[in-house]
Amino acid sequence: QALFATLGVPAARCLPAVFILNACNAIFVLAQMAFIDRQSKTSPKNLTEVKQGEQSSTDANKSRAEKNEMRVVWYAQPMLRTITIFVGWTAILSNSIYGLFAPRFMGFRQTQLSATYSAAALLMVATQIIFPKLVERIGEHRACVAGILAVGTGIGGQSLIRVQPLHSLLYMINRAGAAVADTSTAALVASSSGSRDARSRNLALLTSTRAAARIFTPLLSSKMFEISCRSKVVPGALPFVTAACFCVAAAPLPLVLRRAEKRSERKIARQQ
């Protein structure tokens, strides 16, 4: 809105202009996706080759699917959805509630708050770029654990430590950890599914779980923040510390899942 005001747009039309810009951006993305989809379609000349390749790989795919189904741990998906709820809660706290926390207890103005959000978004994008190398080095399960621990440490520490630059550093650790935890959780959901249909269903349920968490966590967080502001001991920290405790408690779950998958793999190897 400030940009449109600088360009001379009347104040009453700045907000509609923002929505129009977002709509144009969405249309551009949809058009780009449609173009990529059209380019990726197989030409008629290659249809015969594709069909032959599909027929030759059918048996291999069936055997691979059977092995994956035997490897699946039944409690993997509920466990990963639980992690998503906790990490999604920290996202609500870091974006919405922090907008109340920082001006009140850190003395942030709108400019500082916006700069913090922008820096955190840039850091999350950079984290996604290095994520494949991280997974290649330590694995998806350990990456998920590291991300969850970073979220818990960052979001709990930022509410308790109110001295700069340590406070902002902990906030950035929280957001970078959330990027790692979200991506690795989705990767674990995909790898813990026995078939393509199960993978699609589980990823859809993961997204639905994350969306459902965003329905009640803002209300819960705002109420906890309101109650915490009346306290004389670290006022305003209650929702952040509570979410941090849940994240730290959930951090070992990916390792539990990995151990269960190894037991399943050893069982399959003995049967063969």
Side-chain angles (χ1 to χ4, degrees):
Q1 295 185 54
L3 176 61
F4 284 115
T6 305
L7 295 176
V9 178
R13 297 184 178 180
C14 286
L15 187 58
V18 172
F19 287 120
I20 293 173
L21 180 62
N22 289 334
C24 293
N25 181 56
I27 293 172
F28 172 75
V29 172
L30 289 174
Q32 189 176 24
M33 291 176 64
F35 176 76
I36 294 173
D37 180 67
R38 180 175 296 179
Q39 292 293 108
S40 64
K41 287 183 178 179
T42 307
S43 61
K45 296 180 180 179
N46 296 329
L47 284 178
T48 304
E49 297 178 0
V50 171
K51 289 181 179 180
Q52 292 177 353
E54 289 178 352
Q55 291 177 356
S56 62
S57 62
T58 299
D59 295 336
N61 289 336
K62 287 183 178 179
S63 61
R64 191 182 301 113
E66 291 175 357
K67 291 180 180 179
N68 288 336
E69 289 178 358
M70 294 177 65
R71 179 175 171 269
V72 168
V73 180
W74 66 269
Y75 52 81
Q77 301 305 323
M79 185 182 295
L80 295 171
R81 289 169 202 156
T82 302
I83 294 173
T84 295
I85 291 174
F86 294 154
V87 176
W89 186 14
T90 64
I92 295 296
L93 292 171
S94 300
N95 294 319
S96 300
I97 306 302
Y98 189 73
L100 304 174
F101 177 91
R104 182 165 183 173
F105 298 108
M106 297 300 300
F108 279 19
R109 296 183 179 180
Q110 186 61 44
T111 305
Q112 293 172 293
L113 188 62
S114 299
T116 301
Y117 286 151
S118 298
L122 181 62
L123 179 61
M124 294 179 75
V125 172
T127 304
Q128 295 297 326
I129 296 175
I130 66 172
F131 177 77
K133 294 183 179 180
L134 178 65
V135 171
E136 183 179 354
R137 177 166 295 186
I138 66 176
E140 293 175 347
H141 298 79
R142 291 190 179 92
C144 189
V145 172
I148 298 171
L149 288 176
V151 172
T153 303
I155 199 166
Q158 75 185 34
S159 64
L160 300 176
I161 299 176
R162 305 179 183 185
V163 179
Q164 293 288 24
L166 189 56
H167 172 83
S168 294
L169 177 63
L170 288 167
Y171 181 86
M172 297 302 167
I173 292 174
N174 159 35
R175 301 312 296 143
V180 174
D182 278 334
T183 307
S184 56
T185 300
L188 289 175
V189 167
S191 62
S192 300
S193 302
S195 62
R196 178 183 296 180
D197 292 339
R199 181 168 61 251
S200 300
R201 182 178 64 253
N202 290 330
L203 288 173
L205 288 173
L206 184 74
T207 304
S208 299
T209 302
R210 188 176 300 156
R214 292 176 180 173
I215 296 175
F216 66 89
T217 50
L219 298 175
L220 176 63
S221 301
S222 60
K223 188 62 178 178
M224 293 177 69
F225 181 74
E226 181 183 353
I227 295 173
S228 179
C229 287
R230 304 170 190 166
S231 175
K232 296 181 179 180
V233 181
V234 286
L238 178 61
F240 300 95
V241 173
T242 303
C245 292
F246 278 116
C247 287
V248 172
L253 294 182
L255 296 180
V256 173
L257 176 60
R258 179 55 182 156
R259 182 173 298 180
E261 289 175 351
K262 286 185 176 180
R263 286 198 301 266
S264 180
E265 289 172 357
R266 289 195 295 267
K267 183 177 179 181
I268 294 173
R270 286 196 300 268
Q271 290 178 354
Q272 292 178 348

